[in-house]
Amino acid sequence: MNAPAGDQLRAALSAEEIAELNELGIPVTFQPGAVIFKEGERSNHAVLIKRGHVKVVSATHADQELVLAMRGPNEVVGEMAPLDGRPRSATVVAATPVEAAIVSAEDFNTFLDAHPRVLRFLLTQIMQRLREADHG
Ligand code: CMP
């Protein structure tokens, strides 16, 4: 029998999925404090974090930095713009030295077409944010 849908969907990317996504990407490093995405900018690649941590911050609270989330190894950040073609929804800054892979929107979307489980996993992450936002 299959695992409950929720459990499967919440599972992070598998080693194979990470390796495949990494193959599609261009390796890049960021120093602590480097801006990886700026809220409102028009860029549409996704970033796979291999080492280190990034923080997602809201630029609308620029006077007092509001950290929305942290992302770390084997997690994807910047998945929204390649999916919906809209400007970046938040600013993402390297919190430590970061090693990552930059995956073009085209390759990222082709990858997601071939890996619907990953697409559903990303969808559940976004849904979780919506649920949290609904309850302040
Ligand atoms: P994107 O909008 O492409 O670029 C900024 C990224 O920050 C976004 O994709 C998500 O990956 C991430 N992000 C935006 N808002 C949040 C949030 N509330 N929690 C976690 N990550 C977020």
Side-chain angles (χ1 to χ4, degrees), residues 37-41 43-47 54-58 67-71 76-84 86-92 122 125-126 129-130 132-133:
F37 304 124
K38 199 165 166 42
E39 184 173 322
E41 87 183 352
S43 63
N44 61 4
H45 54 278
V47 169
V54 305
K55 56 186 177 184
V56 181
V57 299
S58 171
V67 178
L68 300 173
M70 300 291 294
R71 291 276 170 86
V76 172
V77 68
E79 74 288 354
M80 291 172 63
L83 282 167
D84 70 4
R86 305 276 313 273
R88 295 296 181 184
S89 61
T91 294
V92 176
L122 295 176
Q125 279 194 329
I126 295 169
R129 302 209 287 266
L130 181 61
E132 283 164 9

Side-chain angles (χ1 to χ4, degrees), residues 91-115:
T91 294
V92 176
V93 179
T96 65
V98 170
E99 284 178 28
I102 290 188
V103 183
S104 73
E106 194 185 351
D107 285 347
F108 187 62
N109 280 302
T110 303
F111 172 84
L112 292 179
D113 288 345
H115 296 276

Side-chain angles (χ1 to χ4, degrees), residues 115-128:
H115 296 276
R117 194 204 70 83
V118 177
L119 181 60
R120 289 163 69 180
F121 167 67
L122 295 176
L123 182 62
T124 59
Q125 279 194 329
I126 295 169
M127 283 159 65
Q128 189 181 337

